[in-house]
Amino acid sequence: MTDDRERADAVYSALLARAGERWVQPRKERTARLLELLDDPQKTYRVVHVTGTNGKTSTARMIESLLRAHGLRTGLFTSPHLERFTERIMIDGQPIDDAAVAEAWEEIDPFVAIVDAELEAAGDAPLTFFELLTALAFVAASDAPVDVLVLEVGMGGSWDSTNTADGDVAVFAPIDLDHADRLGATIAAIAEVKAGIIKDGAFVVSARQTPEAEEVLRRVAAEHDAPIAFEGEGFALVEQRLAVGGQQITVRGLAGQYEQEYLPLYGAHQGFNAALAIAAVESLIGGAERAITGGVLAEGLQGASSPGRLQLLGVSPTVVVDAAHNPHGARALAQALRESFDFDEWGLVLGVLADKDAAGIVEVLAPLAAQVFATAPDSERATDADGIADLVERTGTRVTVHPSLADAADAAREWASSSDRRAVIIAGSVVLAGEAITLSEDEDWKSGWRA
C-alpha cells in the first residue's frame, strides 16, 4: 500500500468516525458555514445539479461524459460508492487521486475543528459524514480545478448538503416514492423537497413526471424565473433499438435532432436517461440556440458508463448486476431484462437493506425468476436472508437461502450452467452490487465470471 493510499484511507476512516451517511437532518446551514470558512469553493466553477428518485447517477455520469467530450475539465460527485469511496469524486472521468483526497482533507481539517466547536457551543452534534464528504468534493473540484461539477443530490434537494452550490442547470430524473420518512409520504411532497435545487434564472430539465410532480416543478421553476423543459414536450427519446453491447437511440433535443447514436448501456430507461442528459448539456452550453455537434455527442455517449446498473459481470453463464434498490428501480430492471436479453430463465440473487421496500422489490422481481437465491448485503442495515425468502415464498417462486453473496452467486452460477438459456441477475441493493463487482475481480472467481 502506498503512502498516498494510506493517507486517503485515513481520510475515509475519519469520515466514518462521524455520524453515518443515514444520519440526515433537514438543514444545509452547517455545511454552508464550513464552506464559508473555506472561501466557498463551490462557487469557483459551473454546476449541473441532478436529483430524482431513480436514474440520477446514470444521468449524472452521462452528463459528465458529454461535457468532457466538449473539452471541458469536469468533476463528478455521486453517492454511494460501489467499491471504494474515491469513486464518489471523479476528476476528468477518473476517481480522484489518493494524494488529492489527502491534500483536500488537510485543507479543510482546521476549519472542521472550528465548526465543530461552534456546534458544540450551540448544543449541536458535530459535522456528519455526508456534510464533510460534500465539502471535500467541493474543495477537490476547486483545487483540480474543474470547469464544471456535475453534482448528484444525496437525499431530497432543498436541505441537502449539495444544495449549498448554485446549479446553473437543475436536472430532475423521475420522481417516485422513496425515503418517505424523510421526504414526505406523497409524490407531491417529495417533489417539493427535490424542487429546492432550482435557483433563480437557472435552466431546468426534467424527465417525464407524474402530474402531481410536474405541477410542483412547473410552479417552483416559475417562482425562480427558471425556464423548464420536460421530456416529451421540450425534448424526447424518439427511437431506440437494441445493438450489440447496448442500443442505438434517436433523440430530439432542445437544439437539434440526433440520429442513431450508439449508447453502450442496456435498458430502455438508459435511453431516456441519455435524452435527459443531452437536454441538460444543451442547456449548459447554449440552450435551444446551440446543438451538440455529432462527433462530440458520439464521443460523449460512447464514453458513458454506469457501474452497477445492468452491468455485465460474466459469461458462461451470463451474470448481470443491477442495484435496483427500490420498486421503481426494480420495474426498470424487469423491463430491461425482458427487452435487452434473450434468455428463457433468470436466477435472481437478491439482497436488500432493511430501510428499503423489500416487499415491493420482491413483488416486481420474483415473478421474473425461475429461482431466487436469497442472501443479505454485508451491512448492519441488511434485511436477513430468511426474511427475503419469506417474501419470495409468498409469490410462489422457488427460493433458497444463502449466508453470503459468494455462496448465493456460486449456487446461482451452478444453476445457470445447466443450460445456455439460463442467466443470473444480482440485484436489490447498491451495497450488494458493489460486493458483486468486487467478487468478480477476485482471482479465484475470474474463470467463467468476468465478461
Side-chain angles (χ1 to χ4, degrees):
M1 182 180 292
T2 66
D3 289 343
D4 285 340
R5 187 178 178 94
E6 289 175 348
R7 293 167 65 208
D9 287 346
V11 171
Y12 190 48
S13 294
L15 292 172
L16 290 175
R18 300 279 171 156
E21 195 161 8
R22 302 295 301 172
W23 194 91
V24 177
Q25 294 294 317
R27 57 190 177 191
K28 60 180 183 177
E29 293 78 15
R30 296 150 51 100
T31 309
R33 173 58 177 154
L34 176 59
L35 294 170
E36 178 188 24
L37 294 174
L38 291 163
D39 202 21
D40 287 321
Q42 78 282 9
K43 295 182 179 179
T44 62
Y45 34 74
R46 303 187 75 186
V47 172
V48 179
H49 208 173
V50 185
T51 190
T53 302
N54 284 94
K56 57 183 182 292
T57 300
S58 296
T59 301
R61 293 180 70 94
M62 290 185 210
I63 292 169
E64 185 277 332
S65 185
L66 287 165
L67 291 173
R68 188 158 28 92
H70 276 87
L72 296 169
R73 186 162 170 78
T74 60
L76 174 66
F77 181 50
T78 59
S79 302
H81 61 274
L82 289 168
E83 296 184 85
R84 192 161 181 259
F85 87 105
T86 51
E87 299 166 16
R88 299 184 184 219
I89 305 171
M90 308 281 281
I91 303 296
D92 267 351
Q94 296 297 322
I96 188 170
D97 291 340
D98 289 332
V101 168
E103 289 162 9
W105 180 257
E106 289 171 0
E107 189 174 340
I108 73 172
D109 192 37
F111 300 100
V112 172
I114 293 172
V115 176
D116 279 347
E118 292 175 351
L119 292 170
E120 182 180 8
D124 202 351
L127 290 161
T128 68
F129 175 101
F130 192 74
E131 288 170 335
L132 287 179
L133 186 63
T134 301
L136 185 71
F138 287 158
V139 168
S142 182
D143 288 347
V146 304
D147 299 308
V148 185
L149 176 64
V150 182
L151 182 61
E152 180 189 336
V153 165
M155 183 183 293
S158 58
W159 40 259
D160 188 73
S161 293
T162 64
N163 205 31
T164 49
D166 291 332
D168 298 88
V169 182
V171 183
F172 293 87
I175 296 171
D176 205 337
L177 293 173
D178 198 19
H179 301 299
D181 57 328
R182 310 288 181 88
L183 304 180
T186 66
I187 289 178
I190 292 171
E192 196 77 45
V193 177
K194 293 183 184 294
I197 70 169
I198 298 174
K199 303 298 168 61
D200 292 344
F203 290 96
V204 184
V205 293
S206 174
R208 198 181 302 271
Q209 304 288 356
T210 62
E212 54 267 46
E214 180 177 337
E215 187 281 327
V216 170
L217 297 184
R218 286 191 185 278
R219 171 175 52 77
V220 176
E223 292 169 356
H224 289 275
D225 195 25
I228 187 168
F230 281 90
E231 174 200 328
E233 178 183 283
F235 62 95
L237 177 65
V238 176
E239 183 182 32
Q240 58 187 164
R241 297 178 180 176
L242 288 177
V244 176
Q247 57 190 289
Q248 295 278 349
I249 61 172
T250 294
V251 173
R252 171 173 58 82
L254 298 174
Q257 182 95 353
Y258 308 103
E259 300 281 349
Q260 293 299 305
E261 296 287 347
Y262 178 66
L263 179 67
L265 299 172
Y266 296 104
H269 60 292
Q270 295 290 22
F272 289 102
N273 291 340
L276 181 60
I278 287 170
V281 171
E282 287 177 320
S283 297
L284 189 73
I285 67 173
E289 305 303 318
R290 183 178 172 189
I292 303 172
T293 60
V296 169
L297 183 64
E299 179 184 345
L301 290 179
Q302 291 176 28
S305 64
S306 191
R309 277 77 179 176
L310 275 175
Q311 181 179 350
L312 182 66
L313 292 186
V315 294
S316 299
T318 293
V319 180
V320 180
V321 64
D322 190 274
H325 62 282
N326 57 35
H328 187 276
R331 290 192 293 271
L333 171 59
Q335 181 180 357
L337 293 181
R338 294 188 187 100
E339 296 177 351
S340 300
F341 297 91
D342 183 24
F343 292 103
D344 294 335
E345 292 184 311
W346 285 95
L348 170 63
V349 176
L350 185 64
V352 184
L353 295 183
D355 60 344
K356 297 297 182 179
D357 182 3
I361 295 170
V362 168
E363 182 181 3
V364 175
L365 294 182
L368 293 176
Q371 165 83 42
V372 174
F373 304 84
T375 188
D378 185 14
S379 169
E380 61 184 17
R381 296 189 290 121
T383 298
D384 68 85
D386 287 326
I388 294 297
D390 288 344
L391 292 172
V392 174
E393 284 179 346
R394 295 172 195 169
T395 71
T397 304
R398 186 177 177 219
V399 59
T400 53
V401 176
H402 304 270
S404 69
L405 171 63
D407 292 327
D410 269 336
R413 284 200 299 163
E414 182 177 354
W415 171 87
S417 295
S418 65
S419 169
D420 61 7
R421 302 301 302 162
R422 287 179 169 183
V424 175
I425 175 69
I426 301 173
S429 163
V430 176
V431 175
L432 193 75
E435 285 185 69
I437 294 169
T438 299
L439 188 61
S440 75
E441 295 166 347
D442 187 278
E443 290 295 330
D444 294 336
W445 281 73
K446 285 186 177 180
S447 176
W449 174 263
R450 290 293 299 273

